[in-house]
Amino acid sequence: IRPEFLNYCALLESRAGGIAIRVGGNTQDKATLNVDGNPNNHTIEKYKGTDAAPTDTPEVHFTLDLLDTMAEISKLVNAEWFFGIPFLKTNSDGNAGLVVQYSKSILGEKLLGLQLANEPDLYGKHLKKWESYSITDFMNETNYMIQNLPIQDQIIIGPSVCCEWTIGEVLDAGYLTQYQSYLDYVDVMHYPDNNCASPKVDPQPLFQNYLSHGQVQGLVSPYFTAANTAVAAGKKFMMMETNTASCGGFAGISDSFASALWATDYAMQMAYGNFSYGL
């Protein structure tokens, strides 16, 4: 474990009392846990992906050493974890079940939640599923996953939508009521701008957007109804993924002092809107 990382965690802990770290993202949906180790004895191996996502996401094979390392970090600093469950094969090979089993047993009370699916509203567009993949398809697969995973408690995070579906549409389809017994967090993902496109965006004309409190209010207000619905049902509402822009942000904006002020404003606005976390 790099001491610089631990020092950074300790610095955050000294100011906030603890830290929450997410392990997952685009890689989680195809991730494979090799309980007996990887062929080259590395903790993590990456292979070129085959989907159409602009991030060119690799397929990740990891070992129990990753979870053991996370547990050791939590012994040194007060770190708690969100961990992603592979979703694309819907546990047909038993891999998702292993991820749930070992993440729960190794991380124990330091495991805040298990994220089930990552941006499912882009599965069709990015060719991770069939092109017509719909909310109904997602609900059917979620139901299959929950029924076939070793989960009896409220530890699931979802639906993690970002772009093509609204959180209101998914909740209206019965996501919250149908999975009430398993959900701990209702979550969304959202970026105010997109830097995944080609050619790349010129960030300078966008700089003024990050100096506006009204822009921050506009980012959060669409989630007020869903957040209130989740909290009324006894669930936490969270922004699982956000930043100044997708795909690494904008040079000259994301690495500027203005973005630090923007992020503080954004975080306070999310707290005002009943968000429990913003990552």
Side-chain angles (χ1 to χ4, degrees):
I1 305 171
R2 293 184 67 90
E4 297 90 343
F5 172 75
L6 292 176
N7 288 341
Y8 181 59
C9 290
L11 185 67
L12 294 175
E13 180 187 4
S14 69
R15 286 159 171 76
I19 52 176
I21 304 174
R22 177 195 181 198
V23 177
N26 288 335
T27 56
Q28 77 186 47
D29 276 326
K30 288 185 178 180
T32 298
L33 170 57
N34 290 326
V35 175
D36 295 325
N38 283 324
N40 62 4
N41 295 318
H42 291 171
T43 298
I44 297 174
E45 290 183 1
K46 297 180 181 180
Y47 303 92
K48 183 173 176 56
T50 56
D51 58 57
T55 51
D56 197 23
T57 305
E59 296 185 14
V60 171
H61 291 208
F62 68 99
T63 71
L64 294 176
D65 287 345
L66 174 62
L67 294 167
D68 289 333
T69 300
M70 293 161 60
E72 289 302 313
I73 290 171
S74 292
K75 293 178 182 177
L76 298 172
V77 294
N78 185 23
E80 297 177 300
W81 306 89
F82 295 105
F83 202 78
I85 305 173
F87 191 86
L88 294 188
K89 293 183 179 179
T90 58
N91 200 40
S92 58
D93 57 357
N95 178 57
L98 289 175
V99 171
V100 171
Q101 174 189 339
Y102 283 102
S103 60
K104 292 180 69 175
S105 64
I106 293 175
L107 297 177
E109 63 181 13
K110 294 298 184 179
L111 179 63
L112 288 171
L114 293 167
Q115 183 191 3
L116 188 60
N118 182 78
E119 298 178 344
D121 46 333
L122 292 179
Y123 284 169
K125 185 176 182 179
H126 290 169
L127 306 183
K128 294 182 177 181
K129 299 278 190 178
W130 50 96
E131 288 190 57
S132 61
Y133 192 79
S134 66
I135 293 176
T136 300
D137 295 322
F138 172 61
M139 293 286 290
N140 290 337
E141 292 196 324
T142 299
N143 186 64
Y144 178 85
M145 288 281 282
I146 287 179
Q147 296 305 317
N148 287 276
L149 292 176
I151 295 173
Q152 291 80 39
D153 50 345
Q154 295 182 7
I155 198 170
I156 291 296
I157 308 164
S160 304
V161 295
C162 69
C163 312
E164 303 294 320
W165 310 334
T166 69
I167 183 62
E169 289 172 335
V170 180
L171 295 185
D172 287 344
Y175 187 88
L176 180 56
T177 53
Q178 188 167 340
Y179 308 121
Q180 172 85 12
S181 300
Y182 306 97
L183 280 171
D184 193 16
Y185 297 83
V186 174
D187 77 321
V188 292
M189 303 180 179
H190 185 72
Y191 294 87
D193 217 314
N194 178 16
N195 198 32
C196 299
S198 183
K200 293 297 183 181
V201 176
D202 178 10
Q204 199 56 44
L206 303 175
F207 191 87
Q208 62 183 357
N209 295 342
Y210 297 89
L211 306 177
S212 167
H213 178 63
Q215 186 251 29
V216 166
Q217 290 175 309
L219 288 174
V220 178
S221 60
Y223 300 110
F224 283 172
T225 299
N228 289 336
T229 300
V231 170
K235 309 302 175 186
K236 307 176 192 74
F237 194 79
M238 70 177 294
M239 180 68 72
M240 177 61 80
E241 183 176 316
T242 190
N243 210 323
T244 46
S246 56
C247 291
F250 295 126
I253 294 179
S254 304
D255 53 357
S256 70
F257 182 65
S259 70
L261 297 177
W262 172 86
T264 302
D265 191 14
Y266 190 15
M268 297 301 289
Q269 191 68 21
M270 282 193 284
Y272 170 76
N274 263 335
F275 285 72
S276 295
Y277 285 95
L279 302 182

